[in-house]
Amino acid sequence: MDNHAYPPFCFNITVTDAHLDHLQHVNNMVYVQWLQDAACNHWMQKVPETLHREVLWVVRRHEIDYLAGAFLGDELAITTWPGKHTGVTWQRHYTIVRLRNNQTIIKATSIWALVHRANFRPRRIDEAILQVLR
């Protein structure tokens, strides 16, 4: 985990039939979708409309450690928080925890790149961007 210089964002989800694969546990692609949803929802909850119209984030990399499976009916807590950033990229960390036994089932890190919405060219992460998630 990073130092949590930025507050985490968390939401819960209950595993349904639609999330399951042929092994009857959550499909790996569903976890990727949940990570993306967490990042997007965190940003959208905080970003001012004017800035939202100017920029967007695109994923450059996902690294996921699958520590245990999740099954039908499991209630999960999905948490994300920003980590280190460079000129145009920002690391984001995630955990997914099964609530009934507090077991971490996913630890993940993604690298997101900031781009101009108009032309998809990289945009520098400046103080206005940093302030959004503080």
Side-chain angles (χ1 to χ4, degrees):
M1 273 202 207
D2 220 14
N3 64 6
H4 284 285
Y6 296 88
F9 174 79
C10 187
F11 67 97
N12 293 352
I13 194 160
T14 302
V15 176
T16 67
D17 283 324
H19 300 131
L20 303 180
D21 62 16
H22 67 285
L23 300 173
Q24 297 306 301
H25 62 65
V26 172
N27 185 294
N28 291 348
M29 292 307 298
V30 172
Y31 290 120
V32 173
Q33 183 65 57
W34 289 342
L35 300 180
Q36 181 168 314
D37 291 348
C40 292
N41 291 341
H42 188 199
W43 177 254
M44 292 305 296
Q45 178 186 18
K46 300 252 189 184
V47 67
E49 182 60 32
T50 54
L51 190 54
H52 173 66
R53 287 193 303 264
E54 294 175 20
V55 300
L56 55 91
W57 294 95
V58 294
V59 172
R60 293 196 54 204
R61 175 182 170 83
H62 287 303
E63 184 176 320
I64 303 170
D65 294 324
Y66 297 94
L67 305 174
F71 304 93
L72 185 64
D74 279 348
E75 179 139 357
L76 307 174
I78 302 170
T79 303
T80 184
W81 63 97
K84 297 175 185 173
H85 61 86
T86 66
V88 298
T89 64
W90 206 338
Q91 192 177 59
R92 182 173 277 280
H93 302 279
Y94 312 83
T95 60
I96 300 179
V97 174
R98 182 183 301 113
L99 293 177
R100 79 175 142 79
N101 61 1
N102 206 34
Q103 182 178 15
T104 300
I105 61 172
I106 296 284
K107 286 185 178 179
T109 302
S110 296
I111 304 295
W112 290 80
L114 185 66
V115 298
H116 291 277
R117 190 175 288 274
N119 59 17
F120 299 102
R121 291 183 186 256
R123 183 195 189 275
R124 190 152 203 62
I125 296 172
D126 58 18
E127 191 58 32
I129 299 296
L130 296 174
Q131 286 300 319
V132 170
L133 296 175
R134 286 199 173 120

